[in-house]
Each structure stands twice: as structure tokens, then as C-alpha cells.
Amino acid sequence: MSGKTGHRKLLEQLEADGIQYMFGNPGSSEEGLLDEISRFPAIGYILGLQEAAIVGIADGYAQATQRPAVVQLHCSVGLGNAIGSLYHAKRRRSPLLVITGESGAAYDSMDAQMAADLVAMARPVTKYATRVIDSRSLLRLLRRCLKMAATPPFGPVFLSVPQDILDAPNDEPVLQTVVPSTRVVPEPSAIAAVAALLRGAQNPLILMGDGVAHSQAQAELVQLADVLGARVYGVMASELNMPWTHPLYCGLVGHMFGHSSQRLVADADVVVICGTYVFPEVFPLLTSPFRVDAKIIHIDLDPYEIAKNHPITTGLLSDPKLTLKALADAVADSATPAQREAAVGRARAIGEANQRTLAEARARDEAVRDAVPLHMSAFAAELARQLPQDTILFDESLTHFPELTRWLPPHATGSFFQTPGGTLGVGLPGAIGAKLAHPERIVVGLSGDGGSMYTFQALWTAAHYRIGAKFVVCNNRSYRLLKQNLLDYWPSLGLSPAQFPPSFPPPFDIADPDLDFVGLARALGVPGQRVAQPADIAPAIKTMLEHDGPYLIELILDGSVPRPTN
């Protein structure tokens, strides 16, 4: 026997796998582990004051590094507080390893305080969940969890470790975790068959998601889009999978009502779905939104996602990077001159239409540049002027993001992260995690006023560890997204605009009393200022960027929601 306990061996395994941080909120069933970690200087412990917030910080770190981030939570109550953030991590495929302590396997029959079936709690929001029940398999299961988290498609995993397992002597060998390669490509005949479908397309469409970024396939996606002259939309796309400045990038599909996505895809004759499932909506269509005769090709490393909801023509269980490259080359090599000319013409028309749409939207922005309450476009335009090129944006501005990205269009790999919808409160903690991963770069996190309140405690962590992320809270004094969604919901009930109720439900407003985000930030150790006038924008951004440490701007924005007139 080595004379070492499971506490020490667990940390030795994490150290062997290059884990630099453990993100957590401690409790009595993890005291031994946290006592031991003080003797591991290579692994820093990042303390959070609330579990949803610390999981959000770890999630931002995992996104920015594309490596597993390790989270320590306290038994049933800590895991319960973190469930919403873990749901977000599962949906957007973040590589997290969540380790939760419990008092001991010996107490299973006692229904002890804080006892619960932790694996059953975690399973719906994780890729894999298990519990150590024998000290001789502690490191075996730890390595299995790390492997599962890091193997594409990424995802959060869960390991419950009873304290008596960690207290026991452990002589398991510490071995570096092996992550299998998933760089696989379909056989040539499958590539040729799909290429034949693609090169004959009259109105091709590409629907992409974060599997593209996780495969580092951005260039290959652009290559295929250019060869086809295809419109490209993001579906479950919270990272930069294609430069938003590319002429063929057309935006994001909706995340609320299925008819919104149907409008975008209904006329496509050939569709490539890559690195995502379709469609991530709250109220999806139960019938296929695609044309009956559309040829649909689905590329993913997760067999569950392929043809999960709607029929397809061909499914390719393969690596996006290699597969997109093979398809682009095959189409380019086999297309006729007429097909190539048609693709070039489509690309030109799509690019010109997108440019007109952008110019019209920017002209509307310019018309309200000096308006009060402020519009996000006025702030975003100045932010674009002052930010360095390698800035990382972590965006949860929700209803304000169209204005933000018109003036700050994401263009560089690893420079943009965005909530894919669902869980609120990911913007501020995500920025802290990204800054921890890239301390040399400016990182700006944006959140709505409502969403920020779910995880505002994260600012204390930034102040405590001197993590110099910058924060912007978009304060429109409302749950504005709910108001916009209600305008889509009322017509589904058969109501015309003239029949809409005269006002929105009172719970959709956050006022009386108004929230003081600068005061809240100051109480957590982060300085800041409120910006409510056009003349305040430029100096406030300058102060924020020059401040050595975390800093917050509370941006008072127009929260009006225009109603349709007919």
C-alpha cells in the first residue's frame, strides 16, 4: 500500500491530466479533499459563492480552452443549485467534470441529512453520471469521466465520491487519461453519393452548430458554403463556427417557435446539417419544416442527434472537419461549369442581399444614436471603436444582441461565445472563466438585467482572484424577451393585433424598486458606473478598459417592445 488516501490520489490524477483549476463551493463532505488540495500548488482552487455561478465560470473556462474544467460541489443541495447551469452545459456540449461529495457509502441505509440519489439527479443534465462505490475504482472512474467529457461530442459528466471512499487508503496507479481520436471520415463512396446530391442543388442551405467549432472546422465549413453558394444559418451555435462577416452567413434560426425556423428552411432543396440537432426550439413543429422533396444530409459525431426529430436522406457519423473538407473537394472536382457558375451567382446574390439588410439596419441605428433611453447600437458602435482586435466577447444580451453584433460582428475563432438559450445567467460568469483561460486578452461579458441576477455572485470571485473581466449589464428594467415572445404567442391563439391585450403581464417588468447594479457590484468588490446618456458612453468604455481589474458598466437601455399594427 502507498499510504496515500483517495483524497491525495484523486488530486494526483487531476495533476497528471494537466488540470490547473478546481472550481467549487465547499461543504462538510468535501473537507478532506479541500484540506489536501492546499498541498497541490499546481491546482488552484477557484471559490464561488453560489453553485450556479461557479459552474458558469467553469463553463466559460471550458469553452475558452476546449478542455475539461473540474467543478466541486457539495452533496445534494449543492448539486441541486447547479442543475440549471449543468443543463446549459449539456445543451451546448461543454466539457465539464463535476465531482460531488457525500457523507459516505456506509450511510446509504440511514437516510442521513442531505442524502439523495445524486446520480439520478445528475443524469438528465449530463453526458455520463456515476458513483464510486469501491475505493479500488476511484481513479478508474475519474479517468473514465475525464475521457467522456473530453471526447467529442463534448459534454458535462458527473462523479459522486463518498467521503469514506476518499478517506480509505488507495494504491491505484496514476495514469494519464487517454482520449480517443474521433477524426474519422466516411468511406469514399458515401462522400461521392452526397457530393452528387450537393452539386445539383438549386437552393442549398447549411445549418451548423457548435460541433463545427469543437472540430475546428470553421475553414472547411466556409469552403463548402463557397463551393455550393449556400446560405448558412447557426442552429445550436454559441461559438464562432463561421465568421459572421462572411457574405453567406445569414444569422441564427429562432429558439422559441418552430414556425420561425420553418420560414428560413422551407424553400431549400438540399440541406446540410452539421454539428447540431434540429431544431432547439421551446415550441418546435411536430411536422418536418423542410420541403417534402428536400435532400437532407446530417453530419455529426453523436448518433443520437442524427435524424433525431425529422427524416433525412443521409446521415454521416463522422468528424465535421474531415467530412466538410472531403465534400467541398468532391463537389469542386466534379461540378460542371454551369453548376459552378450557378453557385457563384447564388453566392453573389446572397451576399448582396445580406449587405443591403445590414446597411438598412445600421441606418436605423444611426437614427437613434443620440436617443434617450439609449439604444444598444450606440454603445456597440463605440465599443467596436475602442476594443482591441483580439477581444473575447461573452454575450448574453439577448434582445439587444442583434444591435451588438451589427457593430461588433464575430469574426475570429475563439473570440465569441454566446448563450444558446434556455438557462439564464451565463454571461457574467462565462466571461470570468474565459478571462481566467486567457488573462492576456480583454474579455467583455454582457448580460441582461434579469439574467444577471441569477449568478451575480460571480463578481465576487472575479474581485477575490483579481480576474480582470469587464462586465456590461443591459438594464431595460424588464424581461423584454418574454414580451417579444408574447407578441409571437398571441397570433397562435388566433388573435389579430387589434385583439392583443393592452399591456404585458406585470411580472414581465423589473422595477419598483429599480435594481442598482453598480451598487451590487461594489458590494461584491467590483467598481463600476451607470451609463444613461450618449455623452457618457465613450469615457465610460475608456475607463472600463483602462481599469486594472474587473469593472462593470450598467447600461440603461430602451426597453420598449413595438407592437404590430396589422
Side-chain angles (χ1 to χ4, degrees):
M1 297 292 288
S2 65
K4 297 178 180 179
T5 66
H7 300 287
R8 184 165 190 84
K9 296 300 286 288
L10 182 150
L11 294 167
E12 288 181 357
Q13 180 64 58
L14 295 180
E15 188 175 54
D17 282 317
I19 300 298
Q20 295 180 303
Y21 298 103
M22 178 181 286
F23 303 85
N25 180 264
S28 54
S29 56
E30 300 84 36
E31 289 173 337
L33 180 64
L34 297 178
D35 177 55
E36 190 67 52
I37 201 172
S38 63
R39 289 178 277 280
F40 280 78
I43 302 176
Y45 188 87
I46 304 297
L47 173 65
L49 301 185
Q50 205 273 348
E51 291 85 353
I54 197 63
V55 171
I57 294 174
D59 184 77
Y61 181 84
Q63 291 182 54
T65 61
Q66 290 203 10
R67 289 176 47 82
V70 176
V71 181
Q72 169 269 316
L73 300 176
H74 175 48
C75 67
S76 57
V77 291
L79 176 60
N81 285 340
I83 290 293
S85 293
L86 288 175
Y87 178 87
H88 163 80
K90 184 183 182 183
R91 281 299 191 186
R92 72 157 314 281
R93 296 179 173 178
S94 295
L96 299 181
L97 166 57
V98 177
I99 300 172
T100 296
E102 50 178 298
S103 57
Y107 305 118
D108 279 4
S109 63
M110 302 298 292
D111 191 24
Q113 180 78 338
M114 295 186 288
D117 186 343
L118 302 184
V119 173
M121 289 176 64
R123 187 173 287 122
V125 293
T126 55
K127 180 181 178 182
Y128 175 74
T130 192
R131 182 188 191 219
V132 183
I133 58 173
D134 190 299
S135 62
R136 293 168 294 182
S137 287
L138 171 63
L139 301 194
R140 185 195 323 275
L141 289 174
L142 183 62
R143 286 192 294 270
R144 183 184 300 173
C145 285
L146 284 166
K147 178 198 71 173
M148 292 291 289
T151 301
F154 300 147
V157 299
F158 174 80
L159 183 64
S160 174
V161 186
Q163 185 159 294
D164 51 6
I165 296 291
L166 291 172
D167 287 340
N170 189 299
D171 61 355
E172 287 183 275
V174 174
L175 307 168
Q176 189 169 19
T177 298
V178 175
V179 178
S181 172
T182 56
R183 291 295 192 191
V184 293
V185 67
E187 59 188 356
S189 61
I191 292 294
V194 172
L197 297 176
L198 295 176
R199 65 174 176 262
Q202 302 296 310
N203 188 14
L205 172 71
I206 298 176
L207 301 173
M208 55 75 172
D210 288 332
V212 172
H214 296 166
S215 179
Q216 300 175 351
Q218 291 92 340
E220 290 75 14
L221 175 65
V222 168
Q223 181 186 0
L224 181 62
D226 285 341
V227 167
L228 297 177
R231 294 176 292 143
V232 182
Y233 285 95
V235 184
M236 202 65 179
S238 60
E239 301 188 29
L240 189 127
N241 300 293
M242 177 182 189
W244 290 29
T245 51
H246 192 282
L248 294 175
Y249 179 76
C250 296
L252 302 174
V253 301
H255 287 281
M256 186 56 59
F257 298 100
H259 60 76
S260 298
S261 298
Q262 183 183 41
R263 285 196 293 266
L264 302 177
V265 307
D267 60 348
D269 62 340
V270 178
V271 181
V272 176
I273 305 167
C274 187
T276 182
Y277 74 97
V278 290
F279 285 92
E281 297 147 341
V282 178
F283 302 102
L285 292 179
L286 297 179
T287 57
S288 175
F290 301 106
R291 275 173 42 174
V292 173
D293 62 342
K295 307 302 181 185
I296 302 173
I297 300 97
H298 198 157
I299 304 163
D300 207 295
L301 278 167
D302 188 347
Y304 175 72
E305 302 292 9
I306 295 175
K308 179 174 72 174
N309 291 326
H310 303 297
I312 65 171
T313 307
T314 300
L316 301 176
L317 185 64
S318 58
D319 173 58
K321 185 178 183 72
L322 298 183
T323 306
L324 292 172
K325 172 66 172 172
L327 289 174
D329 288 346
V331 172
D333 291 344
S334 60
T336 66
Q339 289 169 337
R340 294 192 188 97
E341 184 178 350
V344 170
R346 281 194 300 271
R348 183 186 306 112
I350 293 167
E352 290 174 352
N354 286 340
Q355 190 59 43
R356 285 194 300 271
T357 300
L358 176 62
E360 291 167 359
R362 283 191 165 191
R364 292 192 295 271
D365 291 342
E366 290 289 356
V368 296
R369 182 179 55 187
D370 297 321
V372 177
L374 296 172
H375 288 251
M376 169 58 84
S377 55
F379 182 83
E382 182 59 35
L383 194 62
R385 281 189 280 271
Q386 294 197 36
L387 286 179
Q389 282 294 308
D390 66 346
T391 295
I392 297 174
L393 287 183
F394 210 106
D395 175 42
E396 193 191 18
S397 57
L398 298 180
T399 61
H400 299 290
F401 100 88
E403 296 170 82
L404 174 73
T405 52
R406 278 200 291 272
W407 296 93
L408 273 166
H411 64 281
T413 299
S415 66
F416 181 74
F417 303 93
Q418 185 180 46
T419 175
T423 300
L424 289 175
V426 303
L428 304 187
I432 297 170
K435 179 65 174 178
L436 190 64
H438 297 288
E440 75 288 358
R441 298 170 67 178
I442 295 291
V443 178
V444 180
L446 300 100
S447 183
D449 46 355
S452 70
M453 289 302 295
Y454 286 74
T455 54
F456 210 77
Q457 304 94 324
L459 269 66
W460 180 89
T461 299
H464 183 69
Y465 294 101
R466 310 295 190 268
I467 302 170
K470 314 301 180 184
F471 310 107
V472 179
V473 174
C474 305
N475 186 357
N476 55 41
R477 303 174 71 240
S478 67
Y479 293 127
R480 190 172 183 236
L481 182 61
L482 296 183
K483 295 180 180 181
Q484 292 183 350
N485 290 341
L486 201 54
L487 293 180
D488 279 336
Y489 173 69
W490 282 330
S492 72
L493 302 178
L495 299 178
S496 68
Q499 296 171 310
F500 287 0
S503 60
F504 294 109
F508 288 6
D509 289 313
I510 310 173
D512 191 22
D514 289 339
L515 293 169
D516 179 2
F517 290 97
V518 175
L520 289 171
R522 186 183 304 112
L524 294 169
V526 175
Q529 62 179 297
R530 177 175 291 181
V531 174
Q533 298 293 326
D536 298 336
I537 293 175
I541 293 174
K542 185 174 186 293
T543 299
M544 177 181 73
L545 297 180
E546 291 179 349
H547 180 74
D548 183 17
Y551 195 89
L552 179 139
I553 287 177
E554 178 184 359
L555 188 61
I556 307 301
L557 292 174
D558 177 40
S560 63
V561 178
R563 289 168 172 252
T565 56
N566 53 58

